[in-house]
């Protein structure tokens, strides 16, 4: 009998929001097209520590077909996600509109009037599948290749590669895609996490036989991930207490 050549693998998650990082509306900032004279509105409402609702109204009439409503992370982050394969969003319920999850590796300076300069955003557009029960949690996987550089909502093909080792901002966006959608919108998130596939590299048959004296590679990886999250949280709290955020 030959050993199977496939190796054991599992999914490792680093929760950014939700999961072991409870949702907190104070960690999000509103950024709607009203800063450009539009009339769109967005909100992030924490239903409970494990669930947050991004909702509002997208207006496209005021700006002649354009429009956006968004929430983004507070302050300046410093997340190293380079060891992961992408982002996975876990959704409790959603409408049929298209949403965008955005990342920034640079935060533009503010202008003299206090408004922030426009900068490059890396957008991954997604639509939550409607199959299954309304009570089923749905996952949408966004590999790094799904994130495309944009500037003021338009493609920016000459942008330098996204620096995954220095993610400064995360955002949730509802936009018109230049008059393709408008009106009320709502999506409930369970979690937003970085994700990667881990393999122990052993044939399945050998892994099933096991060795009680061997270290558990999955436990070691999970312990390292927990330590990383705890370190990140301590750094964030120090910045908050020192008035840096």
């Amino acid at each position: 009998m030959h050993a199977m050549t496939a190796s054991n693998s599992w999914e490792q998650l680093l929760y950014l929001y939700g999961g072991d990082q409870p949702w907190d509306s104070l960690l999000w900032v509103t950024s709607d097209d009203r800063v450009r004279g539009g009339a769109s509105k967005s909100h992030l409402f924490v239903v409970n520590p494990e669930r947050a609702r991004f909702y509002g109204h997208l207006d496209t009439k005021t700006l002649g077909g354009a429009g956006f409503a968004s929430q983004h992370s507070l302050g300046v982050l410093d997340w190293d996600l380079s060891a992961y394969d992408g982002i996975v969003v876990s959704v409790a319920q959603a409408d049929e509109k298209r949403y965008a999850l955005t990342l920034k590796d640079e935060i533009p300076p503010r202008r003299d009037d206090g408004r922030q300069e426009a900068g490059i955003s890396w957008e991954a557009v997604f639509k939550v599948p409607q199959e299954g029960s309304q009570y089923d949690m749905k996952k949408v996987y966004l590999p790094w290749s799904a994130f495309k550089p944009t500037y003021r909502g338009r493609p920016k093909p000459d942008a330098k590669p996204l620096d995954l080792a220095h993610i400064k901002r995360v955002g949730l966006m509802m936009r018109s895609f230049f008059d393709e959608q408008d009106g009320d919108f709502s999506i409930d998130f369970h979690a937003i996490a970085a994700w990667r596939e881990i393999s122990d590299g052993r044939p399945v048959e050998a892994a099933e036989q096991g060795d009680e004296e061997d270290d558990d590679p999955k436990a070691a990886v999970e312990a390292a991930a927990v330590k990383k999250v705890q370190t990140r949280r301590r750094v964030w709290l120090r910045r908050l207490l020192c008035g840096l955020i």
Side-chain angles (χ1 to χ4, degrees):
M1 180 177 179
H2 297 286
M4 297 175 65
T5 57
S7 61
N8 281 347
S9 64
W10 62 91
E11 182 181 87
Q12 181 190 354
L13 299 179
L14 175 65
Y15 285 103
L16 308 177
Y17 298 97
D20 59 13
Q21 301 289 314
W23 287 96
D24 184 346
S25 60
L26 296 179
L27 300 181
W28 293 84
V29 178
T30 300
S31 179
D32 299 332
D33 60 19
R34 287 175 290 171
V35 298
R36 300 179 188 171
S40 300
K41 294 182 179 181
S42 72
H43 311 273
L44 190 128
F45 171 69
V46 175
V47 180
N48 58 55
E50 298 179 351
R51 183 166 176 168
R53 179 171 300 143
F54 173 50
Y55 72 101
H57 182 83
L58 179 66
D59 173 81
T60 58
K61 295 179 180 178
T62 305
L63 296 179
F68 68 89
S70 69
Q71 299 281 320
H72 66 72
S73 53
L74 175 69
V76 179
L77 307 173
D78 191 14
W79 289 351
D80 182 357
L81 305 182
S82 59
Y84 292 83
D85 298 328
I87 299 291
V88 56
V89 293
S90 300
V91 179
Q93 62 182 27
D95 53 32
E96 298 186 14
K97 285 184 166 61
R98 286 190 293 163
Y99 292 83
L101 191 144
T102 65
L103 300 175
K104 285 182 178 288
D105 57 8
E106 293 182 352
I107 305 299
R110 292 191 177 276
R111 307 185 321 189
D112 293 339
D113 61 4
R115 291 170 55 186
Q116 198 160 58
E117 294 279 1
I120 295 175
S121 291
W122 291 77
E123 294 187 7
V125 178
F126 66 95
K127 186 175 181 180
V128 179
Q130 300 297 311
E131 296 84 3
S133 167
Q134 61 176 327
Y135 302 106
D136 293 340
M137 183 174 67
K138 300 174 176 63
K139 289 186 177 182
V140 180
Y141 289 85
L142 305 171
W144 298 133
S145 60
F147 288 83
K148 307 299 183 183
T150 63
Y151 180 79
R152 292 188 181 275
R154 296 186 181 278
K156 181 70 172 173
D158 60 343
K160 63 182 181 181
L162 176 62
D163 184 359
L164 292 170
H166 297 93
I167 297 300
K168 305 297 186 185
R169 179 169 291 173
V170 177
L172 302 172
M173 178 174 285
M174 163 56 58
R175 64 185 185 90
S176 68
F177 296 98
F178 300 101
D179 215 17
E180 291 185 11
Q181 60 182 12
D182 62 3
D184 294 340
F185 64 89
S186 180
I187 180 171
D188 281 21
F189 292 97
H190 272 305
I192 300 173
W195 122 86
R196 66 176 172 179
E197 289 293 325
I198 300 294
S199 173
D200 60 16
R202 294 186 298 169
V204 171
E205 184 177 277
E208 289 176 347
Q209 291 175 353
D211 185 345
E212 293 182 358
E213 296 182 358
D214 288 345
D215 292 334
D216 183 348
K218 181 176 180 180
V221 170
E222 291 177 345
V226 169
K227 182 177 180 181
K228 185 173 182 179
V229 169
Q230 292 173 340
T231 300
R232 188 183 70 194
R233 180 178 288 176
R234 287 196 296 269
V235 171
W236 189 91
L237 286 173
R238 284 200 298 270
R239 290 179 177 177
L240 181 63
L241 293 173
C242 293
L244 297 178
I245 296 180

